[in-house]
Amino acid sequence: MPTETILYFIAGAVLLIGGAELLVRGASRLAIAAGVSPLVVGLTVVAFGTSAPELAVTVGAAWSGQADVAIGNVVGSNIFNVLFILGLSAVITPLIVAQQLVRLDVPLMIGASILMLLLGLDGTIGRVDGLFLFFGIIAYTTFLIRHSRRETADVKSEYDVAFGAIPGKTRSAMNLGLIVAGMSLLVLGSRWLVDGAVQMATAFGVSQLVIGLTIVAAGTSLPEVATSVLAAMRGERDIAVGNVVGSNIFNILCVLGLGSLVSPDGVRVSPGALAFDIPVMIAVAIAALPIFFTGYLIARWEGAVFLAYYVAYTAWLVLTARENAALGTLGHAMAWFVLPLTLLTLAVLTFRAVRRNNSGIRSG
């Protein structure tokens, strides 16, 4: 394997970490300066900025006719974001979940995931589908900004108490500069890392769909990894969680939407993606909702479960690509033990949360 490939991979990772630090610092300070809640900043500025690598890769792949890479990048990134990024962030520090995420953004993420499946049932997400998806991200962003504006006075008052005086215009301009610089480093670093990773994966004879679902998806999602983990460590938990949910919505509505628009014949959706990978993405999005509203906290053990599921999903993809004999054993273990146990746990957590909420209503 060429030394240049390894150097590209390492340099890309370094740029991603540095860019994420600049982005989180600038975005969190900008939220204070503008009177916008950190959750909205995480759902928009940070989420869209860290999804820029997915946008570049998917649009480029769709333009060049690499449909499996385009679809695999979006689907794989969304699965990676929830299972790996939220899991890792929660293991580092338990994440408090804002009620807005539970009431609006997570259901919207689930709805967008289901919509992607429905649009792809005919085997292609065409230009009309792409235009419909892109209008969705415009409507979503407009709603968030208007909703945040209505809360501006309360947010400013809250921040004055917690953080002191709001920075002036000069400081705000500097924070915008940090965000732009951070995004630039994220895009460049992700490109170098993905180029190196794809070359390494190709050397092992892995298919384009598997590359898109794993190496490319994880590579383009590394900005979200660095941003959410650093945000969690810095105490910006709204940004940590909002970044993941916002990125997933952005990936489907904007990234896939634009990818479908630039491709003359739309983006072809393979039968394998329709039968397995997109349903897994939907299941992951749905599974996140009960965990989110049970006490509005993602505990460390729940984060560990998410991480374990991502390891199992990746192992499944690799074993399937290699037609390994261990595939049957893993499939039986997931079908007869892990999945039923997880469903039972989610059901118990949901029942307890509903019972606790009902008790609170009666006592009130």
Side-chain angles (χ1 to χ4, degrees):
M1 183 179 299
T3 304
E4 182 182 353
T5 299
I6 300 176
L7 291 178
Y8 263 112
F9 190 90
I10 296 174
V14 172
L15 290 180
L16 286 173
I17 295 173
E21 170 63 22
L22 293 178
L23 185 61
V24 172
R25 183 178 299 179
S28 59
R29 290 178 179 176
L30 187 64
I32 300 173
V36 178
S37 67
L39 176 61
V40 173
V41 173
L43 284 166
T44 55
V45 176
V46 179
F48 298 174
T50 54
S51 290
E54 282 95 332
L55 180 61
V57 170
T58 297
V59 170
W63 178 266
S64 60
Q66 296 174 315
D68 281 343
V69 173
I71 289 292
N73 183 35
V74 170
V75 175
S77 292
N78 281 17
I79 294 171
F80 184 88
N81 286 349
V82 173
L83 295 184
F84 186 87
I85 298 177
L86 274 186
L88 181 60
S89 300
V91 167
I92 293 173
T93 179
L95 300 175
I96 299 173
V97 181
Q99 292 188 19
Q100 176 184 326
L101 282 171
V102 177
R103 296 174 179 175
L104 171 67
D105 302 295
V106 175
L108 182 58
M109 177 178 69
I110 296 171
S113 302
I114 296 173
L115 177 62
M116 179 180 174
L117 176 64
L118 296 177
L119 293 177
L121 286 177
D122 60 354
T124 304
I125 297 180
R127 281 184 164 178
V128 175
D129 299 332
L131 188 62
F132 180 72
L133 292 173
F134 188 70
F135 277 136
I137 196 63
I138 294 176
Y140 172 67
T141 305
T142 301
F143 171 80
L144 285 179
I145 293 175
R146 288 183 177 178
H147 181 71
S148 178
R149 291 293 183 187
R150 289 197 296 267
E151 296 181 342
T152 296
D154 294 335
V155 172
K156 284 186 176 180
S157 176
E158 177 185 345
Y159 281 2
D160 283 341
V161 174
F163 299 101
I166 295 177
K169 293 183 179 179
T170 302
R171 186 71 61 82
S172 297
M174 183 183 69
N175 291 329
L176 283 172
L178 289 175
I179 292 175
V180 172
M183 289 181 179
S184 301
L185 291 178
L186 288 170
V187 173
L188 180 60
S190 180
R191 180 177 179 180
W192 286 1
L193 185 140
V194 170
D195 285 347
V198 169
Q199 290 178 31
M200 288 188 286
T202 304
F204 293 99
V206 181
S207 70
Q208 282 193 8
L209 180 59
V210 173
I211 289 176
L213 288 165
T214 55
I215 302 296
V216 176
T220 55
S221 291
L222 279 179
E224 285 93 332
V225 175
T227 300
S228 288
V229 169
L230 284 173
M233 294 174 65
R234 294 168 64 91
E236 297 286 354
R237 300 181 183 184
D238 276 346
I239 289 182
V241 180
N243 174 43
V244 167
V245 177
S247 292
N248 280 16
I249 295 172
F250 183 85
N251 284 344
I252 295 175
L253 298 182
C254 184
V255 173
L256 185 59
L258 285 178
S260 302
L261 286 173
V262 302
S263 179
D265 300 319
V267 177
R268 181 181 58 82
V269 185
S270 69
L274 285 172
F276 180 69
D277 301 296
I278 296 179
V280 168
M281 179 186 71
I282 296 172
V284 167
I286 294 174
L289 188 57
I291 292 177
F292 274 26
F293 76 72
T294 51
Y296 298 104
L297 179 75
I298 306 176
R300 281 192 171 93
W301 72 267
E302 292 169 331
V305 170
F306 275 17
L307 283 174
Y309 267 123
Y310 185 74
V311 171
Y313 171 71
T314 305
W316 177 276
L317 290 178
V318 173
L319 292 176
T320 300
R322 292 290 182 178
E323 297 183 353
N324 195 287
L327 182 63
T329 302
L330 177 61
H332 283 93
M334 293 293 295
W336 297 103
F337 177 72
V338 178
L339 291 178
L341 182 60
T342 302
L343 292 174
L344 178 61
T345 303
L346 290 175
V348 171
L349 290 174
T350 303
F351 175 76
R352 289 180 177 177
V354 172
R355 186 175 181 180
R356 182 169 57 249
N357 292 336
N358 290 337
S359 299
I361 294 174
R362 285 195 296 269
S363 62

